Structure formats: C-alpha cells, structure tokens
Amino acid sequence: MKKFLKLAVAGLLIAGGTSVAVAEGVDVSVDGIFTALSSSTNLQATVDNLVASGANPQAIVSVAAAAGIPLNTVKELQVCKNSASADANVLSASCMRQSSITTAYAAGANDPMKFLPASAAGKVKKQETK
C-alpha cells in the first residue's frame, strides 16, 4: 500500500510539473481559447490551464457557448481563479457562480461572432457600395 501511495504522489508531482510547463505557452486570446476548447478531450483540465495562464473566466464560458459546447457541460465545470495574498501562506480561489456562468454563456450564445475566431465564423463579406 505504501508503494502505491508513493507512486501516486510521484505521478501527481510529475503531472503538476507538466501542467505548469504547458500553461506557460497557452494562447489566451479568443482564437486560442476556441482552439483549446474545441480540441480538448478533458474540458476541466483545459479550463484550469487557460485560467492559470491568465484567461478571463467569463471569456472562456462565452467562447464555449459560441463553440457549441452545451450549457449543462459548462455548468459542470469549476471555473476558478487562484490567487495568493501578500502573505505567501494565504492562498484563495474565487469560482464563478452558476448565475455568472449562465450570463456569460448567454452572451456567447447570443453574439457568437464576438467570441469565435474569424476562421470559425466564416469570411467577412465586403458590402458593395452603390
């Protein structure tokens, strides 16, 4: 049992180090968020990486809505932002409330052109002037 526990802790440390390394190069623009969410196999891990990289939590939810991810799936996610106070011993996390998630989701669903990359929304058509 002790061997299993040691292996589990070692695995978590390795995985934690890997996620920090991955988080450094994450694109937090609308294009980057859309690409990350649409190609993700583990949405919670992707959201955690995006938030850790400095992405706006409301933007993540709005892009998820515009990308067509169902509201129920988004509501199951924990969209939390961790912060440390001036005292290095105090860490805190602020998570989005369900009502805030619903509001951000509605913004993305109602105005998908604002939250989708240009390639996903299609080419912009130039209007002819007469």
Side-chain angles (χ1 to χ4, degrees), residues 25-96:
V26 176
D27 181 10
V28 294
S29 67
V30 171
D31 294 347
I33 293 170
F34 176 81
T35 303
L37 292 176
S38 61
S39 63
S40 176
T41 57
N42 184 347
L43 280 177
Q44 184 63 59
T46 302
V47 168
D48 292 343
N49 281 337
L50 289 169
V51 171
S53 298
N56 182 346
Q58 286 85 3
I60 294 171
V61 174
S62 296
V63 170
I69 298 173
L71 178 60
N72 290 335
T73 303
V74 174
K75 281 185 175 181
E76 291 174 3
L77 297 173
Q78 293 293 320
V79 184
C80 300
K81 191 172 193 175
N82 296 325
S83 60
S85 68
D87 180 12
N89 296 327
V90 179
L91 294 174
S92 65
S94 57
C95 298
M96 285 183 72

Short mmCIF file of all heavy atoms in Angstrom, two decimals, residues 25-96:
data_model
loop_
_atom_site.label_atom_id
_atom_site.label_comp_id
_atom_site.label_asym_id
_atom_site.label_seq_id
_atom_site.Cartn_x
_atom_site.Cartn_y
_atom_site.Cartn_z
N GLY A 25 2.85 28.35 -22.24
CA GLY A 25 2.73 28.67 -23.64
C GLY A 25 1.30 28.69 -24.15
O GLY A 25 1.08 28.56 -25.34
N VAL A 26 0.33 28.87 -23.29
CA VAL A 26 -1.07 28.83 -23.69
C VAL A 26 -1.50 30.18 -24.24
O VAL A 26 -1.23 31.23 -23.65
CB VAL A 26 -1.96 28.44 -22.48
CG1 VAL A 26 -3.43 28.49 -22.84
CG2 VAL A 26 -1.59 27.05 -22.00
N ASP A 27 -2.17 30.16 -25.38
CA ASP A 27 -2.70 31.36 -26.01
C ASP A 27 -4.05 31.68 -25.37
O ASP A 27 -4.97 30.87 -25.43
CB ASP A 27 -2.86 31.12 -27.51
CG ASP A 27 -3.39 32.33 -28.26
OD1 ASP A 27 -3.45 33.42 -27.68
OD2 ASP A 27 -3.73 32.16 -29.44
N VAL A 28 -4.17 32.85 -24.76
CA VAL A 28 -5.41 33.20 -24.06
C VAL A 28 -6.27 34.19 -24.85
O VAL A 28 -7.19 34.77 -24.31
CB VAL A 28 -5.13 33.74 -22.64
CG1 VAL A 28 -4.53 32.67 -21.77
CG2 VAL A 28 -4.24 34.96 -22.68
N SER A 29 -5.97 34.34 -26.14
CA SER A 29 -6.83 35.16 -26.99
C SER A 29 -8.10 34.36 -27.31
O SER A 29 -8.20 33.17 -27.00
CB SER A 29 -6.10 35.53 -28.28
OG SER A 29 -5.88 34.36 -29.06
N VAL A 30 -9.05 34.99 -27.96
CA VAL A 30 -10.29 34.30 -28.34
C VAL A 30 -9.96 33.11 -29.23
O VAL A 30 -10.51 32.02 -29.07
CB VAL A 30 -11.27 35.26 -29.03
CG1 VAL A 30 -12.46 34.52 -29.62
CG2 VAL A 30 -11.75 36.31 -28.05
N ASP A 31 -9.03 33.31 -30.17
CA ASP A 31 -8.63 32.21 -31.06
C ASP A 31 -8.03 31.05 -30.26
O ASP A 31 -8.34 29.89 -30.50
CB ASP A 31 -7.60 32.68 -32.09
CG ASP A 31 -8.18 33.69 -33.07
OD1 ASP A 31 -9.41 33.84 -33.11
OD2 ASP A 31 -7.39 34.31 -33.80
N GLY A 32 -7.15 31.39 -29.32
CA GLY A 32 -6.50 30.35 -28.51
C GLY A 32 -7.48 29.61 -27.62
O GLY A 32 -7.40 28.38 -27.49
N ILE A 33 -8.41 30.34 -27.02
CA ILE A 33 -9.42 29.71 -26.16
C ILE A 33 -10.31 28.79 -26.99
O ILE A 33 -10.58 27.66 -26.60
CB ILE A 33 -10.25 30.77 -25.41
CG1 ILE A 33 -9.38 31.53 -24.41
CG2 ILE A 33 -11.43 30.12 -24.69
CD1 ILE A 33 -10.06 32.75 -23.80
N PHE A 34 -10.74 29.27 -28.16
CA PHE A 34 -11.59 28.45 -29.03
C PHE A 34 -10.87 27.18 -29.44
O PHE A 34 -11.43 26.08 -29.38
CB PHE A 34 -12.01 29.24 -30.27
CG PHE A 34 -12.80 28.43 -31.25
CD1 PHE A 34 -14.16 28.21 -31.04
CD2 PHE A 34 -12.20 27.85 -32.35
CE1 PHE A 34 -14.90 27.45 -31.93
CE2 PHE A 34 -12.93 27.09 -33.25
CZ PHE A 34 -14.28 26.89 -33.05
N THR A 35 -9.62 27.31 -29.87
CA THR A 35 -8.84 26.14 -30.30
C THR A 35 -8.66 25.16 -29.15
O THR A 35 -8.83 23.95 -29.33
CB THR A 35 -7.46 26.59 -30.83
OG1 THR A 35 -7.67 27.52 -31.89
CG2 THR A 35 -6.66 25.41 -31.32
N ALA A 36 -8.35 25.68 -27.97
CA ALA A 36 -8.14 24.80 -26.81
C ALA A 36 -9.42 24.06 -26.44
O ALA A 36 -9.40 22.85 -26.20
CB ALA A 36 -7.63 25.62 -25.63
N LEU A 37 -10.54 24.77 -26.40
CA LEU A 37 -11.81 24.14 -26.01
C LEU A 37 -12.31 23.16 -27.06
O LEU A 37 -12.82 22.09 -26.73
CB LEU A 37 -12.87 25.20 -25.73
CG LEU A 37 -12.66 26.08 -24.51
CD1 LEU A 37 -13.75 27.14 -24.43
CD2 LEU A 37 -12.61 25.27 -23.23
N SER A 38 -12.19 23.52 -28.33
CA SER A 38 -12.73 22.66 -29.37
C SER A 38 -11.90 21.41 -29.60
O SER A 38 -12.41 20.41 -30.10
CB SER A 38 -12.90 23.43 -30.68
OG SER A 38 -11.65 23.90 -31.13
N SER A 39 -10.63 21.43 -29.23
CA SER A 39 -9.79 20.25 -29.42
C SER A 39 -9.54 19.49 -28.13
O SER A 39 -8.77 18.52 -28.11
CB SER A 39 -8.44 20.66 -30.04
OG SER A 39 -7.75 21.50 -29.15
N SER A 40 -10.18 19.89 -27.06
CA SER A 40 -9.93 19.29 -25.75
C SER A 40 -10.65 17.96 -25.57
O SER A 40 -11.79 17.78 -26.00
CB SER A 40 -10.41 20.25 -24.65
OG SER A 40 -10.26 19.65 -23.39
N THR A 41 -9.96 17.05 -24.92
CA THR A 41 -10.59 15.79 -24.52
C THR A 41 -10.97 15.83 -23.04
O THR A 41 -11.76 15.03 -22.58
CB THR A 41 -9.66 14.60 -24.77
OG1 THR A 41 -8.43 14.81 -24.07
CG2 THR A 41 -9.38 14.43 -26.25
N ASN A 42 -10.39 16.77 -22.29
CA ASN A 42 -10.69 16.94 -20.88
C ASN A 42 -10.94 18.43 -20.65
O ASN A 42 -10.00 19.20 -20.43
CB ASN A 42 -9.53 16.44 -20.02
CG ASN A 42 -9.83 16.51 -18.53
OD1 ASN A 42 -10.79 17.16 -18.11
ND2 ASN A 42 -9.00 15.85 -17.75
N LEU A 43 -12.20 18.84 -20.70
CA LEU A 43 -12.53 20.26 -20.60
C LEU A 43 -12.09 20.89 -19.29
O LEU A 43 -11.63 22.02 -19.27
CB LEU A 43 -14.03 20.47 -20.80
CG LEU A 43 -14.54 20.47 -22.23
CD1 LEU A 43 -16.05 20.61 -22.26
CD2 LEU A 43 -13.89 21.57 -23.03
N GLN A 44 -12.23 20.16 -18.18
CA GLN A 44 -11.86 20.74 -16.89
C GLN A 44 -10.37 21.07 -16.84
O GLN A 44 -9.97 22.14 -16.41
CB GLN A 44 -12.23 19.80 -15.74
CG GLN A 44 -11.96 20.39 -14.36
CD GLN A 44 -12.79 21.63 -14.09
OE1 GLN A 44 -14.01 21.57 -14.11
NE2 GLN A 44 -12.14 22.75 -13.82
N ALA A 45 -9.54 20.17 -17.32
CA ALA A 45 -8.10 20.41 -17.34
C ALA A 45 -7.76 21.57 -18.28
O ALA A 45 -6.90 22.40 -17.97
CB ALA A 45 -7.35 19.15 -17.76
N THR A 46 -8.45 21.65 -19.40
CA THR A 46 -8.22 22.74 -20.35
C THR A 46 -8.61 24.08 -19.73
O THR A 46 -7.87 25.06 -19.84
CB THR A 46 -9.02 22.50 -21.64
OG1 THR A 46 -8.63 21.24 -22.19
CG2 THR A 46 -8.78 23.59 -22.65
N VAL A 47 -9.76 24.14 -19.07
CA VAL A 47 -10.20 25.37 -18.42
C VAL A 47 -9.22 25.76 -17.32
O VAL A 47 -8.86 26.94 -17.19
CB VAL A 47 -11.64 25.20 -17.86
CG1 VAL A 47 -12.01 26.35 -16.94
CG2 VAL A 47 -12.64 25.11 -18.99
N ASP A 48 -8.76 24.79 -16.55
CA ASP A 48 -7.78 25.08 -15.50
C ASP A 48 -6.50 25.67 -16.08
O ASP A 48 -5.96 26.64 -15.55
CB ASP A 48 -7.46 23.81 -14.70
CG ASP A 48 -8.63 23.32 -13.87
OD1 ASP A 48 -9.58 24.10 -13.64
OD2 ASP A 48 -8.60 22.15 -13.45
N ASN A 49 -6.02 25.11 -17.18
CA ASN A 49 -4.81 25.63 -17.83
C ASN A 49 -5.03 27.04 -18.37
O ASN A 49 -4.16 27.90 -18.26
CB ASN A 49 -4.36 24.72 -18.98
CG ASN A 49 -3.63 23.50 -18.48
OD1 ASN A 49 -3.07 23.49 -17.39
ND2 ASN A 49 -3.60 22.46 -19.29
N LEU A 50 -6.19 27.28 -18.96
CA LEU A 50 -6.49 28.60 -19.51
C LEU A 50 -6.55 29.65 -18.40
O LEU A 50 -5.99 30.74 -18.53
CB LEU A 50 -7.80 28.58 -20.30
CG LEU A 50 -7.76 27.85 -21.63
CD1 LEU A 50 -9.17 27.67 -22.18
CD2 LEU A 50 -6.89 28.60 -22.63
N VAL A 51 -7.23 29.33 -17.30
CA VAL A 51 -7.35 30.27 -16.19
C VAL A 51 -5.98 30.52 -15.56
O VAL A 51 -5.62 31.65 -15.24
CB VAL A 51 -8.37 29.78 -15.14
CG1 VAL A 51 -8.34 30.65 -13.89
CG2 VAL A 51 -9.78 29.78 -15.73
N ALA A 52 -5.20 29.45 -15.41
CA ALA A 52 -3.86 29.60 -14.83
C ALA A 52 -2.96 30.46 -15.72
O ALA A 52 -2.03 31.11 -15.24
CB ALA A 52 -3.23 28.23 -14.61
N SER A 53 -3.23 30.48 -17.01
CA SER A 53 -2.44 31.27 -17.95
C SER A 53 -2.91 32.71 -18.04
O SER A 53 -2.34 33.51 -18.77
CB SER A 53 -2.49 30.63 -19.33
OG SER A 53 -1.91 29.36 -19.28
N GLY A 54 -3.99 33.04 -17.35
CA GLY A 54 -4.46 34.42 -17.32
C GLY A 54 -5.68 34.71 -18.17
O GLY A 54 -6.03 35.88 -18.35
N ALA A 55 -6.34 33.69 -18.68
CA ALA A 55 -7.54 33.92 -19.49
C ALA A 55 -8.68 34.39 -18.59
O ALA A 55 -8.80 33.98 -17.44
CB ALA A 55 -7.94 32.64 -20.22
N ASN A 56 -9.53 35.24 -19.13
CA ASN A 56 -10.69 35.74 -18.41
C ASN A 56 -11.72 34.62 -18.30
O ASN A 56 -12.14 34.06 -19.32
CB ASN A 56 -11.27 36.93 -19.18
CG ASN A 56 -12.45 37.56 -18.49
OD1 ASN A 56 -13.03 37.00 -17.58
ND2 ASN A 56 -12.79 38.75 -18.94
N PRO A 57 -12.16 34.27 -17.08
CA PRO A 57 -13.13 33.17 -16.93
C PRO A 57 -14.44 33.39 -17.69
O PRO A 57 -14.98 32.47 -18.27
CB PRO A 57 -13.38 33.12 -15.41
CG PRO A 57 -12.14 33.71 -14.81
CD PRO A 57 -11.68 34.76 -15.78
N GLN A 58 -14.93 34.64 -17.72
CA GLN A 58 -16.16 34.92 -18.47
C GLN A 58 -15.94 34.70 -19.96
O GLN A 58 -16.83 34.20 -20.65
CB GLN A 58 -16.63 36.36 -18.22
CG GLN A 58 -17.24 36.59 -16.86
CD GLN A 58 -16.20 36.89 -15.78
OE1 GLN A 58 -15.01 36.99 -16.04
NE2 GLN A 58 -16.66 37.00 -14.56
N ALA A 59 -14.77 35.06 -20.46
CA ALA A 59 -14.48 34.86 -21.87
C ALA A 59 -14.43 33.37 -22.20
O ALA A 59 -14.90 32.96 -23.26
CB ALA A 59 -13.15 35.52 -22.24
N ILE A 60 -13.90 32.58 -21.30
CA ILE A 60 -13.84 31.12 -21.52
C ILE A 60 -15.25 30.56 -21.68
O ILE A 60 -15.53 29.79 -22.60
CB ILE A 60 -13.09 30.41 -20.37
CG1 ILE A 60 -11.62 30.83 -20.36
CG2 ILE A 60 -13.22 28.90 -20.49
CD1 ILE A 60 -10.85 30.36 -19.14
N VAL A 61 -16.15 30.96 -20.79
CA VAL A 61 -17.53 30.46 -20.84
C VAL A 61 -18.23 30.96 -22.09
O VAL A 61 -18.95 30.20 -22.76
CB VAL A 61 -18.30 30.86 -19.56
CG1 VAL A 61 -19.76 30.49 -19.66
CG2 VAL A 61 -17.67 30.22 -18.33
N SER A 62 -18.03 32.22 -22.46
CA SER A 62 -18.67 32.77 -23.65
C SER A 62 -18.16 32.10 -24.92
O SER A 62 -18.94 31.79 -25.82
CB SER A 62 -18.43 34.28 -23.73
OG SER A 62 -19.05 34.93 -22.64
N VAL A 63 -16.87 31.84 -24.98
CA VAL A 63 -16.31 31.14 -26.15
C VAL A 63 -16.83 29.71 -26.20
O VAL A 63 -17.13 29.19 -27.28
CB VAL A 63 -14.76 31.17 -26.13
CG1 VAL A 63 -14.17 30.26 -27.18
CG2 VAL A 63 -14.26 32.60 -26.32
N ALA A 64 -16.98 29.08 -25.05
CA ALA A 64 -17.54 27.73 -25.01
C ALA A 64 -18.96 27.72 -25.58
O ALA A 64 -19.33 26.81 -26.33
CB ALA A 64 -17.54 27.18 -23.58
N ALA A 65 -19.75 28.73 -25.25
CA ALA A 65 -21.11 28.82 -25.78
C ALA A 65 -21.08 29.01 -27.29
O ALA A 65 -21.82 28.36 -28.02
CB ALA A 65 -21.85 29.97 -25.12
N ALA A 66 -20.22 29.93 -27.75
CA ALA A 66 -20.14 30.19 -29.18
C ALA A 66 -19.62 28.97 -29.93
O ALA A 66 -19.97 28.76 -31.09
CB ALA A 66 -19.23 31.39 -29.44
N ALA A 67 -18.79 28.16 -29.27
CA ALA A 67 -18.23 26.96 -29.90
C ALA A 67 -19.23 25.81 -29.93
O ALA A 67 -18.97 24.78 -30.54
CB ALA A 67 -16.97 26.53 -29.18
N GLY A 68 -20.37 25.97 -29.26
CA GLY A 68 -21.40 24.94 -29.30
C GLY A 68 -21.32 23.91 -28.19
O GLY A 68 -21.96 22.87 -28.25
N ILE A 69 -20.55 24.19 -27.15
CA ILE A 69 -20.49 23.28 -26.00
C ILE A 69 -21.77 23.47 -25.20
O ILE A 69 -22.13 24.61 -24.86
CB ILE A 69 -19.24 23.56 -25.15
CG1 ILE A 69 -17.98 23.31 -25.99
CG2 ILE A 69 -19.23 22.70 -23.89
CD1 ILE A 69 -16.69 23.71 -25.33
N PRO A 70 -22.49 22.40 -24.88
CA PRO A 70 -23.78 22.52 -24.19
C PRO A 70 -23.67 23.20 -22.83
O PRO A 70 -22.67 23.05 -22.13
CB PRO A 70 -24.26 21.07 -24.03
CG PRO A 70 -23.45 20.28 -24.99
CD PRO A 70 -22.17 21.00 -25.18
N LEU A 71 -24.71 23.94 -22.45
CA LEU A 71 -24.74 24.66 -21.18
C LEU A 71 -24.55 23.71 -20.00
O LEU A 71 -23.85 24.03 -19.04
CB LEU A 71 -26.04 25.45 -21.04
CG LEU A 71 -26.24 26.22 -19.73
CD1 LEU A 71 -25.13 27.24 -19.53
CD2 LEU A 71 -27.59 26.91 -19.71
N ASN A 72 -25.18 22.54 -20.03
CA ASN A 72 -25.05 21.60 -18.92
C ASN A 72 -23.60 21.17 -18.73
O ASN A 72 -23.15 21.00 -17.59
CB ASN A 72 -25.93 20.37 -19.15
CG ASN A 72 -27.40 20.71 -19.03
OD1 ASN A 72 -27.77 21.67 -18.36
ND2 ASN A 72 -28.24 19.94 -19.69
N THR A 73 -22.87 20.99 -19.81
CA THR A 73 -21.46 20.62 -19.71
C THR A 73 -20.65 21.76 -19.10
O THR A 73 -19.79 21.53 -18.25
CB THR A 73 -20.89 20.27 -21.11
OG1 THR A 73 -21.69 19.23 -21.67
CG2 THR A 73 -19.46 19.85 -21.03
N VAL A 74 -20.95 22.98 -19.50
CA VAL A 74 -20.23 24.14 -18.98
C VAL A 74 -20.55 24.35 -17.50
O VAL A 74 -19.66 24.68 -16.71
CB VAL A 74 -20.55 25.40 -19.80
CG1 VAL A 74 -19.92 26.64 -19.20
CG2 VAL A 74 -20.09 25.23 -21.24
N LYS A 75 -21.80 24.12 -17.11
CA LYS A 75 -22.18 24.30 -15.70
C LYS A 75 -21.48 23.29 -14.79
O LYS A 75 -21.28 23.56 -13.61
CB LYS A 75 -23.69 24.15 -15.54
CG LYS A 75 -24.46 25.38 -15.93
CD LYS A 75 -25.93 25.19 -15.62
CE LYS A 75 -26.72 26.45 -15.88
NZ LYS A 75 -28.14 26.29 -15.54
N GLU A 76 -21.10 22.14 -15.32
CA GLU A 76 -20.41 21.13 -14.52
C GLU A 76 -18.95 21.49 -14.26
O GLU A 76 -18.33 20.94 -13.37
CB GLU A 76 -20.49 19.76 -15.21
CG GLU A 76 -21.88 19.18 -15.21
CD GLU A 76 -21.97 17.90 -16.02
OE1 GLU A 76 -20.94 17.43 -16.54
OE2 GLU A 76 -23.09 17.38 -16.14
N LEU A 77 -18.40 22.42 -15.04
CA LEU A 77 -17.01 22.81 -14.89
C LEU A 77 -16.82 23.71 -13.67
O LEU A 77 -17.70 24.49 -13.33
CB LEU A 77 -16.52 23.55 -16.13
CG LEU A 77 -16.52 22.78 -17.43
CD1 LEU A 77 -16.17 23.71 -18.59
CD2 LEU A 77 -15.54 21.63 -17.37
N GLN A 78 -15.67 23.60 -13.05
CA GLN A 78 -15.28 24.51 -11.98
C GLN A 78 -14.39 25.57 -12.61
O GLN A 78 -13.26 25.29 -12.99
CB GLN A 78 -14.51 23.77 -10.88
CG GLN A 78 -15.34 22.77 -10.11
CD GLN A 78 -16.40 23.46 -9.28
OE1 GLN A 78 -16.17 24.50 -8.68
NE2 GLN A 78 -17.58 22.88 -9.24
N VAL A 79 -14.92 26.77 -12.77
CA VAL A 79 -14.14 27.85 -13.36
C VAL A 79 -13.68 28.73 -12.20
O VAL A 79 -14.41 29.59 -11.72
CB VAL A 79 -14.98 28.67 -14.37
CG1 VAL A 79 -14.13 29.73 -15.04
CG2 VAL A 79 -15.61 27.75 -15.41
N CYS A 80 -12.46 28.46 -11.74
CA CYS A 80 -11.93 29.12 -10.55
C CYS A 80 -10.61 29.79 -10.85
O CYS A 80 -9.81 29.30 -11.64
CB CYS A 80 -11.72 28.12 -9.43
SG CYS A 80 -13.22 27.27 -8.92
N LYS A 81 -10.38 30.90 -10.19
CA LYS A 81 -9.14 31.64 -10.33
C LYS A 81 -8.44 31.64 -8.98
O LYS A 81 -9.02 32.07 -7.98
CB LYS A 81 -9.45 33.07 -10.78
CG LYS A 81 -8.27 33.85 -11.20
CD LYS A 81 -8.72 35.16 -11.81
CE LYS A 81 -7.56 35.80 -12.53
NZ LYS A 81 -7.97 37.01 -13.23
N ASN A 82 -7.22 31.12 -8.93
CA ASN A 82 -6.46 31.07 -7.70
C ASN A 82 -5.61 32.33 -7.57
O ASN A 82 -5.11 32.85 -8.55
CB ASN A 82 -5.53 29.84 -7.68
CG ASN A 82 -6.32 28.56 -7.69
OD1 ASN A 82 -7.40 28.48 -7.11
ND2 ASN A 82 -5.80 27.54 -8.35
N SER A 83 -5.46 32.79 -6.33
CA SER A 83 -4.62 33.96 -6.11
C SER A 83 -3.91 33.81 -4.77
O SER A 83 -4.37 33.11 -3.88
CB SER A 83 -5.45 35.24 -6.14
OG SER A 83 -6.43 35.20 -5.13
N ALA A 84 -2.79 34.47 -4.64
CA ALA A 84 -2.03 34.48 -3.40
C ALA A 84 -2.01 35.91 -2.88
O ALA A 84 -1.86 36.85 -3.64
CB ALA A 84 -0.62 33.98 -3.63
N SER A 85 -2.14 36.05 -1.57
CA SER A 85 -2.10 37.38 -0.98
C SER A 85 -0.64 37.77 -0.75
O SER A 85 0.28 37.01 -1.03
CB SER A 85 -2.88 37.40 0.33
OG SER A 85 -2.21 36.61 1.29
N ALA A 86 -0.43 38.96 -0.21
CA ALA A 86 0.92 39.42 0.08
C ALA A 86 1.62 38.47 1.03
O ALA A 86 2.82 38.25 0.94
CB ALA A 86 0.87 40.82 0.66
N ASP A 87 0.85 37.89 1.94
CA ASP A 87 1.39 36.87 2.83
C ASP A 87 1.42 35.57 2.04
O ASP A 87 0.39 35.06 1.65
CB ASP A 87 0.49 36.73 4.06
CG ASP A 87 1.00 35.68 5.03
OD1 ASP A 87 2.15 35.21 4.87
OD2 ASP A 87 0.25 35.32 5.96
N ALA A 88 2.58 35.03 1.78
CA ALA A 88 2.74 33.86 0.92
C ALA A 88 2.04 32.62 1.47
O ALA A 88 1.86 31.65 0.75
CB ALA A 88 4.22 33.56 0.72
N ASN A 89 1.60 32.66 2.71
CA ASN A 89 0.96 31.48 3.29
C ASN A 89 -0.54 31.43 3.02
O ASN A 89 -1.19 30.46 3.37
CB ASN A 89 1.21 31.44 4.81
CG ASN A 89 2.67 31.28 5.13
OD1 ASN A 89 3.40 30.62 4.39
ND2 ASN A 89 3.11 31.87 6.23
N VAL A 90 -1.09 32.48 2.44
CA VAL A 90 -2.54 32.53 2.24
C VAL A 90 -2.85 32.42 0.75
O VAL A 90 -2.49 33.28 -0.04
CB VAL A 90 -3.13 33.84 2.80
CG1 VAL A 90 -4.63 33.88 2.56
CG2 VAL A 90 -2.83 33.97 4.28
N LEU A 91 -3.50 31.34 0.37
CA LEU A 91 -3.96 31.14 -1.00
C LEU A 91 -5.48 31.16 -1.00
O LEU A 91 -6.11 30.69 -0.06
CB LEU A 91 -3.46 29.80 -1.55
CG LEU A 91 -1.96 29.66 -1.73
CD1 LEU A 91 -1.62 28.23 -2.15
CD2 LEU A 91 -1.45 30.63 -2.77
N SER A 92 -6.05 31.69 -2.06
CA SER A 92 -7.51 31.69 -2.14
C SER A 92 -7.93 31.38 -3.57
O SER A 92 -7.16 31.54 -4.50
CB SER A 92 -8.07 33.05 -1.71
OG SER A 92 -7.65 34.05 -2.61
N ALA A 93 -9.15 30.94 -3.70
CA ALA A 93 -9.71 30.65 -5.02
C ALA A 93 -11.08 31.30 -5.10
O ALA A 93 -11.87 31.21 -4.16
CB ALA A 93 -9.84 29.15 -5.23
N SER A 94 -11.33 31.97 -6.19
CA SER A 94 -12.65 32.53 -6.42
C SER A 94 -13.24 31.84 -7.64
O SER A 94 -12.62 31.82 -8.69
CB SER A 94 -12.58 34.05 -6.62
OG SER A 94 -11.74 34.35 -7.69
N CYS A 95 -14.39 31.24 -7.44
CA CYS A 95 -15.04 30.48 -8.51
C CYS A 95 -16.26 31.24 -9.03
O CYS A 95 -16.92 31.96 -8.27
CB CYS A 95 -15.46 29.11 -8.01
SG CYS A 95 -14.08 28.09 -7.48
N MET A 96 -16.53 31.06 -10.30
CA MET A 96 -17.71 31.70 -10.89
C MET A 96 -18.98 31.06 -10.33
O MET A 96 -19.05 29.84 -10.19
CB MET A 96 -17.70 31.54 -12.40
CG MET A 96 -16.72 32.42 -13.11
SD MET A 96 -16.82 32.26 -14.91
CE MET A 96 -18.38 33.07 -15.25
#
